[in-house]
Amino acid sequence: MGAVLDGAIGAPVGGLAGGPVRAPVGGPASVLAYGGPPPWQWSDLATSWTAEPLVLAVSVLLGAWYLAAVRRVNRAAGAGTGTGVGTGAGAGSAGGRWQPTRTAAFLGGLLLWIWCTCSGLGVYDRILFTDRAVQVVLLLMVVPLLLALGAPVSLLVEAAPAARRERVLRALRSRPSKVLMFPAVSTALLMAPPWLLYFTPWYEWSVSSGLGNVVLHLALVLLGLAYFWPRLQLDPVGHEYPHLVGLFITFAEVIFDAGLGIVLIYGGHLVAEHYYLALGRPWGPSLAQDQTWGGNAFWVLGDLVGLPFLAALVRRMVVQGREETEAVDAELDARFAAAAERARATGEPEEEETGMRPWWLDDPNLKHRYGG
């Protein structure tokens, strides 16, 4: 029955948690039928390793591109030739140089992606329902959030030649881009996949097929990016909207996570029951207990990982508000300076800057108290 794993799990690289395999109720025949890794232990998260070549290749290529692009942007800033195009408010640069925090977030997202698929979490993701539930939350919500915080599109625009830069910006302003980034559409791309995963044949395909497993690891990250990119609005987006909308959507997402967790825990339906029975795992929790733990993990982690996004969104609102205030103040100062220059040129008395006069001196109910 080990063939049910489609030969994709194999023997993980590194030290698997040891220990004898406990004999199941079914007898020695079931032990011989099981072809997966030994009983799971907490140490496996650090000591058990496997390899997923596609995720490793994509992560290495993206990391190499990002670092090379950052180097080009910083070199252009040092030479005083930075374009400043596409960075957006706070998107990437301080004084023309790319912010190190952006680089750390993006590379951290790539490392977490590798850890989710190649560490002990990846070794047991087709063995334990709970393991897969934790992996789904991290790949759908944490890895994309870190990648989006790296503002990769702004970096692409900054580092690209002028002709390519214009093509990228034109694509972001296109109709398909605006539709994809419409709040209802991007939100559906985050909320719908977990429900589809657990209540369609997609889940069983992801655990019984090596190809399905890889497709899941890639699809979840892409769908999460489609959500966090327009939510954070660090990168140029095709459809802008107030950040308060993002806050309301986040609360709705928390409700959806809780609903899915409750259904998995109390719904009475075992997901991929035939697959897990055929797997013949002779150790660990029962199928029902495993799914209960997985439902709780999905519920709790789904809510907890939403906190960093809320923090990033609130910080983004504060930064954007400060930048808008500074822009308005600069415009008012420029107008007042121009009016004062005209007054001096014509010999007329200079007018007092409106913004410098306390408001209570002009209030009809208060000005008589302060000699206004």
Side-chain angles (χ1 to χ4, degrees):
M1 290 186 184
V4 73
L5 298 179
D6 197 27
I9 293 181
V13 180
L16 275 173
V21 178
R22 298 197 305 270
V25 177
S30 298
V31 178
L32 295 177
Y34 175 69
W40 183 91
Q41 297 180 10
W42 283 104
S43 59
D44 289 319
L45 296 178
T47 60
S48 299
W49 295 91
T50 185
E52 186 157 311
L54 187 56
V55 171
L56 286 171
V58 171
S59 299
V60 170
L61 290 175
L62 287 176
W65 165 79
Y66 194 95
L67 292 175
V70 168
R71 184 179 179 183
R72 285 197 296 271
V73 170
N74 289 341
R75 185 184 302 160
T81 58
T83 63
V85 178
T87 58
S93 56
R97 299 182 64 84
W98 196 255
Q99 294 181 10
T101 53
R102 301 286 182 227
T103 303
F106 190 84
L107 296 181
L110 294 179
L111 291 175
L112 181 60
W113 193 6
I114 293 173
W115 182 83
C116 286
T117 56
C118 298
S119 70
L121 203 63
V123 171
Y124 288 88
D125 62 355
R126 297 165 66 186
I127 305 298
L128 292 169
F129 185 93
T130 302
D131 194 274
R132 174 68 90 186
V134 173
Q135 188 184 66
V136 167
V137 173
L138 294 178
L139 291 179
L140 184 63
M141 301 186 67
V142 182
V143 172
L145 173 60
L146 292 173
L147 296 179
L149 286 172
V153 179
S154 293
L155 181 61
L156 174 65
V157 173
E158 282 286 312
R164 190 186 307 167
R165 183 184 309 125
E166 183 57 35
R167 287 197 299 268
V168 173
L169 294 175
R170 188 163 53 247
L172 293 174
R173 293 190 293 264
S174 66
R175 188 174 187 84
S177 177
K178 292 180 179 180
V179 171
L180 181 64
M181 296 185 185
F182 188 73
V185 175
S186 58
T187 301
L189 293 176
L190 184 81
M191 294 184 180
W195 290 84
L196 294 176
L197 175 65
Y198 288 111
F199 299 106
T200 68
W202 184 13
Y203 185 89
E204 191 156 356
W205 180 55
S206 73
V207 292
S208 62
S209 165
L211 175 61
N213 195 41
V214 175
V215 169
L216 180 70
H217 293 162
L218 296 175
L220 291 177
V221 174
L222 291 176
L223 291 170
L225 270 174
Y227 172 81
F228 286 110
W229 177 6
R231 287 295 170 274
L232 291 174
Q233 298 186 34
L234 290 174
D235 281 321
V237 295
H239 189 94
E240 295 186 2
Y241 53 89
H243 289 294
L244 284 177
V245 175
L247 288 176
F248 286 122
I249 291 174
T250 302
F251 291 129
E253 186 268 329
V254 168
I255 295 174
F256 269 75
D257 286 347
L260 178 56
I262 291 172
V263 171
L264 291 175
I265 296 169
Y266 302 108
H269 168 69
L270 292 179
V271 178
E273 180 179 10
H274 297 297
Y275 166 80
Y276 286 117
L277 286 174
L279 184 63
R281 172 171 50 81
W283 48 264
S286 66
L287 300 188
Q289 185 64 56
D290 190 20
Q291 183 164 314
T292 298
W293 291 353
N296 280 286
F298 187 92
W299 184 354
V300 174
L301 286 178
D303 291 345
L304 288 179
V305 299
L307 296 179
F309 171 62
L310 282 176
L313 193 59
V314 170
R315 180 182 181 277
R316 185 76 185 91
M317 293 173 61
V318 172
V319 171
Q320 187 174 15
R322 186 186 302 125
E323 290 172 346
E324 291 175 352
T325 300
E326 292 174 353
V328 171
D329 289 344
E331 182 180 356
L332 293 176
D333 290 342
R335 291 181 181 179
F336 179 75
E341 183 66 26
R342 287 195 301 270
R344 286 193 293 269
T346 57
E348 299 178 357
E350 298 183 17
E351 296 183 1
E352 181 181 1
E353 186 177 2
T354 304
M356 300 296 293
R357 181 178 175 83
W359 63 270
W360 54 81
L361 294 181
D362 297 316
D363 188 283
N365 297 320
L366 300 175
K367 64 180 182 180
H368 68 281
R369 298 184 182 181
Y370 302 100

